[in-house]
Amino acid sequence: MQNEMLVIILWVTCGIATVVAGLLAYRSAVARYVGRGAVGVLFLLGGAVVHLVNLVTGVDYGGFADPSFFVWVSDTWHAVVEPNQVLFIGLLAAFEAVVGVLAMCGGRLTRFAYWCVIVFYLGLWLFGWMELAWVLLMLPPMFLLLRAERWAAVAGETARTG
């Protein structure tokens, strides 16, 4: 299902929305909300749901790590993940679902979700050039969204305590 046109459109749309929201989030509450939604939808639908559908339909994740830059990544994938795909891809789907929901909650939960996304992306680049390109594109707006959420929280605390 990962190569289906609908999934590709979802990923591209959420990616563009995240980048634009990241660039505007410091100045705009609407951009922060768009960023929350884009990250949330990407991880919920483009991540968790896609993985669950793939598991149910028997998609094989065995070759996912083959394009990796490092032999140890593909060897570890084939030795650990490939024979236990249901477990590990199921855990990945659960992680992505939780992160997607938290991203849309606002406040500390959104900031925590953004940190989870950042850490996830920092590991994702190991799996090949396509993942590296995505990570290089998405990390800056994730840090910008995180910064904007933090600044909004500080501004809110300052306004409340006066």
Side-chain angles (χ1 to χ4, degrees), residues 147-161:
R147 180 184 71 170
E149 289 288 346
R150 179 64 189 134
W151 284 350
V154 169
E157 288 174 14
T158 304
R160 282 191 297 273
T161 60

Side-chain angles (χ1 to χ4, degrees), residues 76-162:
T76 302
W77 183 272
H78 289 296
V80 178
V81 178
E82 188 175 354
N84 302 295
Q85 289 182 64
V86 172
L87 171 65
F88 285 107
I89 303 304
L91 289 171
L92 173 62
F95 166 79
E96 289 178 330
V98 169
V99 167
V101 169
L102 293 179
M104 293 187 279
C105 287
R108 288 185 179 139
L109 297 176
T110 294
R111 293 192 303 274
F112 177 72
Y114 286 174
W115 274 116
C116 290
V117 170
I118 290 166
V119 170
F120 177 76
Y121 285 164
L122 289 173
L124 185 63
W125 75 271
L126 295 168
F127 290 91
W129 70 270
M130 292 271 300
E131 288 77 8
L132 175 60
W134 180 260
V135 167
L136 291 175
L137 179 68
M138 297 307 291
L139 274 178
M142 289 308 306
F143 278 110
L144 292 173
L145 287 169
L146 178 62
R147 180 184 71 170
E149 289 288 346
R150 179 64 189 134
W151 284 350
V154 169
E157 288 174 14
T158 304
R160 282 191 297 273
T161 60

Side-chain angles (χ1 to χ4, degrees), residues 6-18 42 134 137-138:
L6 186 59
V7 175
I8 293 169
I9 291 169
L10 175 70
W11 272 71
V12 170
T13 303
C14 288
I16 291 169
T18 300
L42 178 63
W134 180 260
L137 179 68
M138 297 307 291

Side-chain angles (χ1 to χ4, degrees), residues 1-37:
M1 183 169 172
Q2 288 177 329
N3 293 326
E4 300 269 339
M5 187 54 69
L6 186 59
V7 175
I8 293 169
I9 291 169
L10 175 70
W11 272 71
V12 170
T13 303
C14 288
I16 291 169
T18 300
V19 170
V20 172
L23 293 172
L24 301 175
Y26 175 66
R27 288 177 249 138
S28 168
V30 171
R32 282 197 325 273
Y33 300 140
V34 169
R36 291 176 189 174

